[in-house]
């Protein structure tokens, strides 16, 4: 098999840098459903059909999945991660190549798949100058379907600054605590044991909206 040189513009980050469950959530064939059977008209409930044909019930609000991985280990399983990506609750890093994503992404659920800022600038929502009239454009607008942690991530007086290390952000919470969020390793130094704490959510929102530099350190509007 011929090997080809990597393009000079290859991103610093690779899919293999992601935690296994996140990689699986992005690339494995899964179907997320929110409008049939047990989950019809049930906000926050989803069914995920895996490539092996198993179906699991996910409660995005309480953060549970029926699968053994989620029930018996202290983790967030790939199904829950997939639901977060497919519904746009969690943005997909822009450097993850489109062709690596499962084709079925976001096909059967409400909400739109979100990508973090791509090269060449991002939409500036302009909320800081108070000109936003459409709540859809305000990244900190709280929606009914937001889970409690997401609401706190948006409402609280949290300050995010970029550290000069790839993917690291310092987060100043409303309680004057300082935590370090690592976007690539998907960790936060806070005591909240939830996989996707409000600090990580806040950092993702700020990156997605170009309010802080992207994980690679480039300024949001740098070409
Ligand atoms: Zn699961
Ligand atoms: Zn945290």
């Amino acid at each position: 098999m011929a090997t080809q040189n990597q393009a000079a513009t290859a991103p610093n980050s690779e899919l293999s840098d992601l935690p296994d469950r996140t990689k699986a959530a992005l690339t494995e064939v899964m179907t997320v459903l929110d409008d049939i059977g047990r989950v019809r008209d049930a906000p926050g409930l989803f069914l995920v059909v895996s490539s092996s044909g198993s179906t699991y019930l996910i409660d995005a609000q309480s953060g549970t999945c029926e699968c053994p991985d989620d029930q018996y280990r202290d983790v967030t399983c790939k199904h829950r991660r997939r639901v977060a990506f497919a519904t746009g609750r969690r943005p997909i890093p822009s450097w993850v190549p489109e062709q690596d994503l499962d084709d079925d992404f976001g096909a059967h659920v409400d909400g739109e798949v979100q990508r973090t800022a791509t090269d060449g600038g991002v939409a500036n929502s302009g909320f800081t100058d108070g000109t936003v009239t459409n709540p859809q454009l305000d990244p900190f607008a709280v929606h009914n379907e937001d889970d409690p942690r997401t609401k706190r991530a948006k409402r609280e007086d949290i300050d995010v600054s970029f550290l000069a290390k790839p993917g690291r952000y310092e987060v100043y919470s409303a309680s004057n605590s300082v935590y370090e969020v690592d976007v690539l390793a998907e960790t936060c130094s806070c005591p909240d044991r939830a996989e996707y704490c409000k600090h990580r959510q806040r950092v993702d929102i700020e990156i997605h909206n170009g309010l802080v530099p992207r994980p690679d350190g480039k300024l949001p509007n740098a070409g």
Side-chain angles (χ1 to χ4, degrees), residues 188 190 192 197-200:
C188 175
C190 81
D192 185 351
C197 70
K198 65 185 179 188
H199 311 108
R200 289 189 48 214

Side-chain angles (χ1 to χ4, degrees), residues 140-153:
F140 298 109
V142 172
H143 304 290
N144 284 338
E145 66 270 23
D146 287 343
D147 70 38
R149 263 191 199 85
T150 303
K151 287 178 178 162
R152 288 200 293 277

